[in-house]
Amino acid sequence: MNEEHFKKIISHAKEFGFIFPSSEIYDGLGATYDYGQNGVELKNNIKKYWWRSMVQMNENIVGIDSAIFMHPNTWKASGHIDAFNDPLIDNKDSKKRYRADILIEDHIQKIENKINKELIKGKKRFGEDFNEAEFKATNPNIIRRNKEIKKIEEEMELAFKNDDLNAIYQLIINLGITCPLSGSKNWTDVRQFNLMFKTELGSVSGESSSIFLRPETAQGIFVNYLNVQKTGRKKIPFGIAQIGKAFRNEIIARQFIFRMREFEQMEMQFFITPGTQEKWYEFWKKERMKWHKALGIPQELLRFHDHIKLAHYADAASDIEFKFPFGFKELEGIHSRTDFDLKQHEDLSKKKLRYFDPEKNESYIPYVIETSIGLDRMFLALLAYSLKEEELEDGSSRTVLSLPYSLAPNKASILPLVKKDGLAEKAKTIFNSLKTQYNCIYDEKDSIGKRYRRNDALGTPFCITIDYDTLKDLAVTVRERDTMSQERIKIDDLNNFIDSKVNMNLLF
Ligand code: GAP
């Protein structure tokens, strides 16, 4: 994957009604996008896959839908007002602003890339006899580079632990990190910056008070945890899930829908007995990786990245990273959040947020393991992984979006060979009989070949052609997107056939 592929994804997303720049007739609004007619279907299917695997399939996890506006004290308690600041640094030449920790982590990534190149060289040289572990332990270049990484990580960890912004600045200078845009080392000091959007909540008397657009959906879960626990008679361990919009005034909002100012999260907070957090942290790391891999995303495009710089609320954190066209980047976070949030809310609200554990016969504030995935990033990962240009046997090529069948915006496209002689009417009857089960397309324009290509580009798993024989044998030609193979299927069997291939249950 590369820059060229990334450009293709963006133009494909627009051309085929997946994503449009927001308010495009006014030349768009920075880092804001709208989902089009096919985008919204794909997005809804991703949500459905997440919700079903989280809520429907776990008897101890339930969902909620809390308001975007929350009492301002929520953000005081959560630390978003005082502590949730990102360390930012500006390049004086390009005038671009960066997250200091990300600049350092990108630098480490470059050293890791050099190690990987060394490994590839070793594999080529030794062929079948190559022993990776031994090579890593003895190759002087790899040993030196690993030591270099360790030293940077230690210095970075210490600087963040001590909140020492000057030490972070020095590390960037000492490592000779340059601005990706201008290539210069002309940096400002590192400063803290708050990412929350502020707005006013008007009151009757004309007074107003400042409130914030939520920067994460998680707090809506924390403030409702006892409501859910009591009304749902939940016993620990149990989870609460939520899908919803979040807002952050990101400084470097770019890379299409990867980093936006308005985005959607799918978050789950899992409430556990204090002391069991390590076990559940590992459990959810494994579960979440399994969820991604069930979609057919190959292992080499996914990896864990354990955090060095921990957020103020976490005692352990790991990202599931996906290999986007611009490199491995965070797709989902799994965080061991301790009892930080509930304790803070208890302190500030003066309301007891303790759980009475009938087995232990005592009350305590539960610990929390969080899984938090960006819906838009998942969407981008799927587009990046699925969009392919394929060479065909006859020398031509096709663009295909090989989305998992159950996530595809439409499951079947109904195509009368010609409009006349009763074929269009027959095709409409078939469309009407399938539309209650699946999103289908009815398409009678252009040659069958062109219609196939259009549906490949949309990711439609099945094209169903109604021809003259259909009127006699009551069967249709079904063409499968991935194999392009065609088979004749009785109209009466169509529903079962499609269901056996696109049902989301096949993912679980
Ligand atoms: N409640 C924890 C939390 O919000 P986070 O790592 O800041 O943690 C979780 O965000 C996920 O939300 C990320 O892994 C990412 O997928 C998504 N995300 C965060 N900021 C985003 C942005 N500006 N645009 C799109 N997605 C974003």
Side-chain angles (χ1 to χ4, degrees), residues 447-498:
S447 70
I448 280 289
K450 272 196 186 152
R451 284 183 267 173
Y452 280 169
R453 291 289 174 274
R454 212 156 42 225
N455 279 288
D456 285 346
L458 290 174
T460 313
F462 297 105
C463 282
I464 297 170
T465 306
I466 289 84
D467 55 24
Y468 284 103
D469 286 343
T470 306
L471 302 179
K472 289 179 246 146
D473 64 3
L474 299 183
V476 288
T477 301
V478 178
R479 175 204 184 252
E480 188 166 3
R481 181 195 70 198
D482 289 351
T483 57
M484 291 188 287
S485 63
Q486 302 189 4
E487 59 182 305
R488 202 79 189 153
I489 292 188
K490 289 276 177 209
I491 295 171
D492 282 349
D493 297 336
L494 263 183
N495 203 343
N496 282 344
F497 173 81
I498 297 173

Side-chain angles (χ1 to χ4, degrees), residues 286-419:
K286 272 206 203 99
E287 279 297 299
R288 295 306 303 147
M289 187 57 103
K290 226 164 66 190
W291 185 88
H292 290 279
K293 283 167 69 181
L295 290 171
I297 301 177
Q299 179 65 68
E300 62 265 26
L301 297 184
L302 292 164
R303 71 178 187 194
F304 282 114
H305 169 77
D306 296 330
H307 280 217
I308 303 172
K309 179 192 174 241
L310 291 174
H312 59 279
Y313 51 73
D315 72 356
S318 186
D319 293 337
I320 293 179
E321 293 187 335
F322 175 79
K323 194 173 184 188
F324 288 97
F326 36 85
F328 269 107
K329 297 277 175 207
E330 174 184 350
L331 172 61
E332 168 157 14
I334 295 115
H335 310 124
S336 174
R337 286 185 84 127
T338 68
D339 57 357
F340 177 86
D341 302 86
L342 290 178
K343 219 172 180 174
Q344 290 284 105
H345 286 305
E346 190 177 271
D347 283 352
L348 206 65
S349 67
K350 308 276 180 266
K351 306 272 174 4
K352 284 263 171 277
L353 294 179
R354 277 142 210 262
Y355 166 78
F356 178 73
D357 191 328
E359 270 150 44
K360 293 186 167 203
N361 201 25
E362 65 179 30
S363 294
Y364 54 79
I365 298 182
Y367 268 42
V368 171
I369 304 295
E370 164 184 77
T371 73
S372 172
I373 175 168
L375 177 53
D376 313 87
R377 282 195 195 173
M378 189 62 207
F379 189 108
L380 181 59
L382 280 166
L383 280 194
Y385 158 62
S386 305
L387 184 62
K388 291 172 190 136
E389 206 59 46
E390 277 182 5
E391 295 297 326
L392 304 180
E393 277 173 11
D394 64 3
S396 63
S397 68
R398 68 162 181 163
T399 302
V400 58
L401 198 59
S402 58
L403 292 166
Y405 284 176
S406 54
L407 299 191
N410 295 288
K411 306 303 183 218
S413 197
I414 321 298
L415 319 172
L417 189 64
V418 289
K419 281 185 244 176

